[in-house]
Amino acid sequence: MNKKISIIGSGFSALSAACYLAKAGHNVSIYEKNSMVGGRARQIIKEGFTFDIGPSWYWMPDIFEKFFNDFGKRTSDFYELDKLSPAYKIFFSDDVITIGDHMDQICQEFDRIEPGSSAPLRKFIARAQEHYDIAINKVVLKPGLSPFELVTKETITRVDQFFKTISSEVRKNFKNTKLISTLEFPVLFLGAKPNQTPSFYSFMNFADFGLGTWHPKGGMYQVIKGMKALAESLGVNINTNSNVEKINVNNGKTIGITVNGKDISSDIVLSGADYHHSETLLDKNYRQYSESYWDKRTFAPSSLLFYVGFDKKIKNIEHHNLFFDTDFEKHAEEIYDDPKWPENPLFYVNFPSVTDHSMAPIGCETGFFLVPIAPGLQDTAELRQKYFDIITKRFEKRTNQNITNHVLFKESFCVNDFISEYNSYKGNAYGMANTLMQTAFLRPKLKSKKVKSLYFTGQLTVPGPGVPPSLISGKLVAELIDKNEI
């Protein structure tokens, strides 16, 4: 029997769930508080410049392909993909590492930095590929209901990989600090320090070196537009400028939501919004997790972001650029161990117009700067400007050019905006970190324990942070709804 389902939010996980639920025959409506769909993956278009304001890395192309395949479609039906070559550059204080688009190139670069290091690299990535196959085909497809979901013949033989860390595995095989940073970088997408992330998550290194880095022509928002088109073709009703003010409950069962002051009846409510915020929409006795629970969780970083239009082409850079010319570990401590504004921050810069000329006017460059910071920090205009000056000065030094005199405009986004735009807990950017004690069944649940017919999806629940996991989260919760409610 088809159900009337109201979905809060329109990010990757919410759109994914909407598509699967509509395909199953349900009457699905999405309610998004902002003026455009996409959640954190929205877009700014200004003076001919196009900026993805959230996710900018397209990794794990197989996950996107599988999503659209589930509906008899392909990614190419909605957007055009280019594999980046090179994938990205990493700037250190005394060198630059270029990550090519296949393993032979990457091995040559490793050997240049540390002679003979390509041999352990190939073994490390082969192991990472095994982990990727198990993770994607076994572990992440579980709804996080029981610890026994992790018990398979494949994971049993690798149980030690959940108790060792990425950092220990990398440092066992590599001594050069630049190579260590290069191999520890991908797990930052999981939102935790490498020395707190299980080594099983080395599958992110295979996603990086094995599957490569891609770019949807026109930006990451093309994926959202494709998912929106798919959802609407399946009959999903999408409502923007629709702020959900309350999740309504009667006798322990949800009966709908209140949107812009109007009650909307529903058989099932699914929230793809921030999990902590979603529970504040319930009366206190219906909330599963206390404030102290949330305060004790390890959250992924927040970010200070700048969207900059330049009046010239920028030299000596690639599409993706990482600036690791300061102390990696000290910056991590300033995010996780002693939260404060970093003294000498690492940062990331994305120039999509280097490979996609549609994203900037002719002769100009679209620049996206990101500084990872601890969630919950003080956020002022003065601090934002201070850090813009810090990172642009270092950028100019490392790339040997002036850019500050060529800024047409800049916009910023930080902790206060993550809270106001996305109701994000403490202004975090990526959700809850995937540490050992926050993996699989130890994460907040897809199904409410206190309210019948109330569900959750997104990066604070299973599988975890990142765009591909969010697509999977939407599928998992849709399957759980069909199992429990039909």
Side-chain angles (χ1 to χ4, degrees), residues 158-196:
R158 291 170 170 79
V159 68
D160 64 315
Q161 299 295 300
F162 288 93
F163 295 96
K164 295 177 182 177
T165 68
I166 285 285
S167 187
S168 66
E169 286 293 287
V170 168
R171 290 159 194 258
K172 181 176 69 177
N173 293 291
F174 304 91
K175 304 306 176 191
N176 184 280
T177 56
K178 298 183 186 70
L179 299 187
I180 288 170
S181 294
T182 300
L183 289 169
E184 288 184 345
F185 143 69
V187 302
L188 298 180
F189 284 98
L190 302 173
K193 291 170 66 176
N195 65 5
Q196 293 179 348

Side-chain angles (χ1 to χ4, degrees), residues 74-359:
R74 297 174 298 178
T75 56
S76 58
D77 293 328
F78 299 98
Y79 52 89
E80 180 183 338
L81 272 180
D82 292 318
K83 189 176 186 183
L84 299 182
S85 179
Y88 54 92
K89 273 187 176 181
I90 307 178
F91 291 80
F92 294 94
S93 59
D94 59 351
D95 202 353
V96 178
I97 290 181
T98 301
I99 301 300
D101 68 344
H102 59 79
M103 274 300 295
D104 289 343
Q105 290 179 339
I106 298 168
C107 284
Q108 287 176 10
E109 189 74 337
F110 267 58
D111 280 337
R112 179 182 69 83
I113 301 293
E114 183 179 322
S117 61
S118 62
L121 176 64
R122 288 187 186 276
K123 291 179 182 178
F124 180 80
I125 297 300
R127 182 79 163 165
Q129 181 173 4
E130 293 174 1
H131 291 171
Y132 187 88
D133 292 339
I134 295 167
I136 299 307
N137 296 314
K138 302 283 184 182
V139 177
V140 300
L141 297 179
K142 305 294 185 181
L145 303 178
S146 162
F148 295 106
E149 292 174 356
L150 294 177
V151 181
T152 69
K153 62 181 181 180
E154 293 89 358
T155 56
I156 284 292
T157 61
R158 291 170 170 79
V159 68
D160 64 315
Q161 299 295 300
F162 288 93
F163 295 96
K164 295 177 182 177
T165 68
I166 285 285
S167 187
S168 66
E169 286 293 287
V170 168
R171 290 159 194 258
K172 181 176 69 177
N173 293 291
F174 304 91
K175 304 306 176 191
N176 184 280
T177 56
K178 298 183 186 70
L179 299 187
I180 288 170
S181 294
T182 300
L183 289 169
E184 288 184 345
F185 143 69
V187 302
L188 298 180
F189 284 98
L190 302 173
K193 291 170 66 176
N195 65 5
Q196 293 179 348
T197 304
S199 61
F200 181 76
Y201 286 102
S202 67
F203 68 74
M204 292 296 292
N205 294 100
F206 175 71
D208 179 3
F209 289 1
L211 298 177
T213 302
W214 300 73
H215 171 72
K217 188 172 182 181
M220 286 290 288
Y221 197 68
Q222 298 304 311
V223 185
I224 289 290
K225 289 170 67 175
M227 294 180 73
K228 177 178 182 285
L230 175 62
E232 290 177 330
S233 74
L234 293 166
V236 176
N237 179 32
I238 298 176
N239 306 276
T240 54
N241 298 306
S242 299
N243 184 40
V244 177
E245 298 155 339
K246 190 167 177 51
I247 298 173
N248 300 312
V249 180
N250 184 34
N251 293 326
K253 182 186 183 304
T254 182
I255 56 172
I257 54 179
T258 301
V259 181
N260 296 340
K262 179 182 178 183
D263 290 343
I264 295 173
S265 65
S266 315
D267 299 312
I268 297 164
V269 172
L270 166 61
S271 181
D274 178 272
Y275 205 124
H276 169 269
H277 169 73
S278 300
E279 287 223 312
T280 68
L281 302 178
L282 292 161
D283 291 337
K284 202 164 186 178
N285 58 309
Y286 289 124
R287 299 173 192 174
Q288 304 168 89
Y289 304 106
S290 66
E291 287 299 316
S292 64
Y293 169 88
W294 293 111
D295 191 53
K296 291 174 183 175
R297 299 308 97 185
T298 300
F299 273 81
S302 185
S303 297
L304 169 57
L305 301 157
F306 296 100
Y307 314 109
V308 188
F310 293 99
D311 68 3
K312 71 166 188 174
K313 300 301 289 184
I314 309 298
K315 301 181 298 182
N316 305 326
I317 45 85
E318 297 295 343
H319 186 120
H320 295 293
N321 308 270
L322 299 163
F323 285 78
F324 286 5
D325 52 330
T326 58
D327 192 327
F328 186 109
E329 292 183 23
K330 188 172 189 301
H331 189 173
E333 289 171 3
E334 291 166 332
I335 293 174
Y336 295 102
D337 303 330
D338 181 20
K340 60 185 176 183
W341 280 92
E343 186 177 345
N344 292 300
L346 283 69
F347 62 97
Y348 156 69
V349 192
N350 174 27
F351 294 106
S353 47
V354 167
T355 56
D356 184 349
H357 303 308
S358 70
M359 299 190 74

Side-chain angles (χ1 to χ4, degrees), residues 364-479:
C364 298
E365 208 84 270
T366 292
F368 169 112
F369 293 71
L370 182 154
V371 180
I373 59 174
L377 295 183
Q378 180 189 26
D379 173 15
T380 67
E382 293 76 19
L383 280 166
R384 295 188 189 196
Q385 185 60 47
K386 173 186 174 180
Y387 279 86
F388 184 74
D389 294 341
I390 287 172
I391 63 175
T392 51
K393 182 178 180 180
R394 279 187 21 222
F395 180 93
E396 289 179 334
K397 181 179 179 181
R398 299 292 168 231
T399 63
N400 192 31
Q401 66 192 305
N402 176 281
I403 62 169
T404 52
N405 294 338
H406 295 274
V407 174
L408 290 172
F409 64 86
K410 79 172 188 294
E411 296 192 13
S412 61
F413 200 97
C414 197
V415 172
N416 293 346
D417 303 298
F418 280 103
I419 293 171
S420 64
E421 295 293 303
Y422 311 133
N423 297 308
S424 173
Y425 182 72
K426 292 186 178 180
N428 80 82
Y430 306 106
M432 187 183 289
N434 258 341
T435 61
L436 176 61
M437 299 307 294
Q438 294 181 173
T439 293
F441 67 97
L442 296 172
R443 297 180 71 80
K445 303 303 182 187
L446 292 169
K447 184 180 186 299
S448 172
K449 295 177 288 187
K450 291 193 172 183
V451 179
K452 189 177 184 329
S453 302
L454 173 61
Y455 295 82
F456 303 86
T457 187
Q459 54 192 8
L460 268 70
T461 183
V462 292
V467 175
S470 292
L471 295 179
I472 294 169
S473 185
K475 181 176 185 178
L476 291 176
V477 77
E479 291 173 346

